[in-house]
Amino acid sequence: MKSKELSVDLRDRIVSRHKSGEGYRNISAALKVPMSTVASIISKWKKFETTRTLLRAGRPSKLSDWGRRALVREVTKNLMVTLSELQRSSVERGEPSRRTTISAAIHQSGLYGRVARRKPLLSKRHMAARLEFAKRHLKDSQTMRNKILWSDGTKIELFGVNARHHVWRKPGTAHHQANTIPTVQHGGGSIMLWGPGTGRLVRIKGKMSAAMYRDILDENLLQSALDLRLGRRFIFQQDNDPKHTAKISKEWLQDNSENVLEWPNQSPDLNLIEHLWRDLKMAVHRRFPSNLMELERCCKEEWVKLAKDRCAKLVASYSKRLEAGIATKGALTKY
């Protein structure tokens, strides 16, 4: 059985008695500590000049330095390589193949396994357009940014992958009904939503066409701008979806004298409304709607609850988003 570690105070007293000239045997008898322990503590103090517990190196790795470097090279060349593939490579080299050993070696190089983020595919043309957009709008005044009405659509699933939930449970009860979230095959259905800023939230029924998009603008855009007190001369942001750039959509915007923000393709990270969609999905799935009608009702109720100061903070921090785009030369950003 492992013995209890001596307190720091007792170790200091051993060293103090040693400094005063007492022998190991006398220190051992006076403090009731085995003489071997006294010798060990004094030896450690002479070597490290401390009686405190030092960090222990742990069990030596069975993986050779060469094998560790080979693993890191393999991961660096292919960031999507799986742990199983690394195990097979390690076996072929005659090195240890335990998953924990391989993971620890890769972690020491500063690499960790994480879920890959889904991001738009960018070409050089896309990156050039994004960089030009960021440079052009970086010095826009805050007054101008406050006039932008951001818009986009999103899909919200009834029972799906939009949110994670955690549950307190006992071991072995993972599949008990009370500890699970109900799901059905193919997600149980979903609804498509479109929203301008935190203005009117619209459910899109069926497949959206250019004509349907024009009608949505006609019924909701101007009123949303009024509700949000943007004034008549606001700037409308939309992406370059074919329905948005269709002739009838452009004609409606021109007929209504709408000032449309020129937008680079493949740039959802530059659109502030994406953060609002995330907030909405998290709020809705905390309510566990059971059917599509209830899902739509929850979405509209939670949409109007979105804090106005949240939107204001997103607008106020837009310069950081553009600076990130410039720093990456038009490539993907963390947003």
Side-chain angles (χ1 to χ4, degrees), residues 217 260 287:
L217 294 178
V260 180
R287 296 177 58 172

PDB file of all heavy atoms in Angstrom, residues 217 260 287:
ATOM      1  N   LEU A 217     -40.750  40.142 -50.496  1.00  0.00           N
ATOM      2  CA  LEU A 217     -40.211  41.491 -50.370  1.00  0.00           C
ATOM      3  C   LEU A 217     -41.329  42.517 -50.357  1.00  0.00           C
ATOM      4  O   LEU A 217     -41.333  43.455 -49.541  1.00  0.00           O
ATOM      5  CB  LEU A 217     -39.245  41.787 -51.529  1.00  0.00           C
ATOM      6  CG  LEU A 217     -37.947  40.976 -51.596  1.00  0.00           C
ATOM      7  CD1 LEU A 217     -37.147  41.365 -52.837  1.00  0.00           C
ATOM      8  CD2 LEU A 217     -37.103  41.163 -50.345  1.00  0.00           C
ATOM      9  N   VAL A 260     -29.378  48.467 -52.649  1.00  0.00           N
ATOM     10  CA  VAL A 260     -28.940  47.102 -52.339  1.00  0.00           C
ATOM     11  C   VAL A 260     -27.427  47.067 -52.159  1.00  0.00           C
ATOM     12  O   VAL A 260     -26.681  47.582 -52.988  1.00  0.00           O
ATOM     13  CB  VAL A 260     -29.364  46.118 -53.454  1.00  0.00           C
ATOM     14  CG1 VAL A 260     -28.898  44.701 -53.126  1.00  0.00           C
ATOM     15  CG2 VAL A 260     -30.869  46.151 -53.647  1.00  0.00           C
ATOM     16  N   ARG A 287     -37.330  24.474 -26.211  1.00  0.00           N
ATOM     17  CA  ARG A 287     -38.769  24.333 -25.936  1.00  0.00           C
ATOM     18  C   ARG A 287     -39.335  23.002 -26.416  1.00  0.00           C
ATOM     19  O   ARG A 287     -40.494  22.689 -26.157  1.00  0.00           O
ATOM     20  CB  ARG A 287     -39.521  25.495 -26.587  1.00  0.00           C
ATOM     21  CG  ARG A 287     -39.150  26.841 -25.989  1.00  0.00           C
ATOM     22  CD  ARG A 287     -39.837  28.003 -26.671  1.00  0.00           C
ATOM     23  NE  ARG A 287     -41.290  27.886 -26.635  1.00  0.00           N
ATOM     24  CZ  ARG A 287     -42.117  28.850 -27.025  1.00  0.00           C
ATOM     25  NH1 ARG A 287     -41.621  30.004 -27.465  1.00  0.00           N
ATOM     26  NH2 ARG A 287     -43.421  28.670 -26.991  1.00  0.00           N
TER      27      ARG A 287
END
